[in-house]
Amino acid sequence: MARITIVEDDSLMREELMDILQKAGYEVVAIAGFHDIVAQITTLAPDLVLLDINLPEQSGFEICKSLKSKGIGPILILTSRDKLQDELHGLNLGADDYLTKPCNRDRLLARIQNLLRRFEGQPGLIDGGSFSLDPNTFTLYKGSQSLLLSANEGRILLTLVQHRPEIVSKSTLSELLWGTDQYIDENALQVNLTRLRKTLRQLNLENQIETIRGQGYRLRGR
């Protein structure tokens, strides 16, 4: 039975959501005290978080970002805020879906079921030492900051993290990116590494990747 945590400050709406989800067969815990919400949710370790945006002490957007940095999800934002910019902001912070209230019961349950199926069995955040990486979305987290990597950047960094502190050869990375260890272009791999370092610079992480002359690359740290 999947466990869902509801974060909703309207007591009537909270009770209605609890009733809907319990009747659908979910184990439901609703948060009624809004101090240190992220710690409460982390302790509960839910399979899905149903999150409002307009909350008494902290914005749901901030909560969403903090939860994602801890590898908690999926997160479905359910809010009365129906502006496109709010939806895009929530999704950019890592929310996995966004619905506006009032919401049709069957639509809500369908979205929840879809998210639970998508995330079932997926690995959580991978520790990169001074950062964490989501191997499913290639989202990189450092403290309260997050950054979405491109597919090639994500594949390279994930491979370096998985092999840390070992050296990853150029042929291994070439096989990873292009399906062959025969260099199509000697500079192609270097171009991708340069792009990755430039992206990592946004979080002051560009020095995490070390070039080992004649051998390949590795991630600094143990």
Side-chain angles (χ1 to χ4, degrees):
M1 179 188 300
R3 182 190 301 113
I4 297 176
T5 294
I6 298 173
V7 185
E8 167 64 63
D9 65 323
D10 184 310
S11 59
L12 293 178
M13 174 61 71
R14 189 165 62 237
E15 291 174 8
E16 181 180 351
L17 289 171
M18 287 185 67
D19 183 61
I20 289 173
L21 297 178
Q22 287 172 343
K23 287 180 177 177
Y26 295 110
E27 178 184 344
V28 185
V29 177
I31 289 179
F34 297 93
H35 178 67
D36 208 358
I37 293 176
V38 172
Q40 293 186 60
I41 296 174
T42 302
T43 300
L44 292 169
D47 298 299
L48 182 143
V49 179
L50 198 58
L51 177 64
D52 190 15
I53 293 300
N54 298 319
L55 298 169
E57 297 190 23
Q58 187 179 18
S59 165
F61 289 133
E62 296 175 11
I63 294 168
C64 176
K65 186 174 182 179
S66 295
L67 291 175
K68 279 299 182 177
S69 72
K70 297 178 181 297
I72 295 174
I75 296 174
L76 195 166
I77 290 179
L78 181 63
T79 177
S80 57
R81 294 169 66 161
D82 59 0
K83 292 184 179 179
L84 177 60
Q85 63 187 35
D86 288 325
E87 180 175 354
L88 294 177
H89 185 48
L91 294 173
N92 286 333
L93 289 176
D96 301 286
D97 207 343
Y98 191 105
L99 285 174
T100 55
K101 298 182 287 191
C103 178
N104 176 273
R105 171 189 176 279
D106 292 335
R107 177 177 289 114
L108 173 63
L109 292 176
R111 295 290 183 90
I112 288 173
Q113 291 168 8
N114 181 55
L115 285 176
L116 290 172
R117 280 197 299 267
R118 275 173 49 195
F119 279 76
E120 185 178 8
Q122 289 191 355
L125 294 184
I126 295 178
D127 181 17
S130 55
F131 63 87
S132 298
L133 181 66
D134 185 335
N136 308 302
T137 64
F138 295 141
T139 303
L140 186 149
Y141 299 96
K142 180 188 176 187
S144 62
Q145 299 175 290
S146 63
L147 194 63
L148 181 63
L149 306 179
S150 70
N152 276 2
E153 292 171 341
R155 292 189 188 102
I156 293 171
L157 188 58
L158 177 60
T159 301
L160 293 174
V161 171
Q162 290 173 330
H163 288 80
R164 185 174 66 122
E166 299 173 359
I167 298 171
V168 179
S169 68
K170 293 181 180 180
S171 61
T172 296
L173 291 176
S174 181
E175 176 76 32
L176 173 73
L177 296 180
W178 300 292
T180 176
D181 60 3
Q182 302 300 312
Y183 293 121
I184 300 170
D185 182 345
E186 180 66 27
N187 295 321
L189 183 58
Q190 182 60 48
V191 168
N192 279 272
L193 264 296
T194 299
R195 288 174 179 166
L196 175 57
R197 285 189 170 112
K198 184 177 180 180
T199 300
L200 294 178
R201 190 177 301 136
Q202 298 178 48
L203 298 182
N204 296 317
L205 292 170
E206 67 272 18
N207 294 324
Q208 292 296 302
I209 299 176
E210 182 180 7
T211 301
I212 308 300
R213 186 180 297 275
Q215 298 183 58
Y217 306 88
R218 69 181 175 194
L219 200 64
R220 295 183 188 276
R222 60 184 182 81

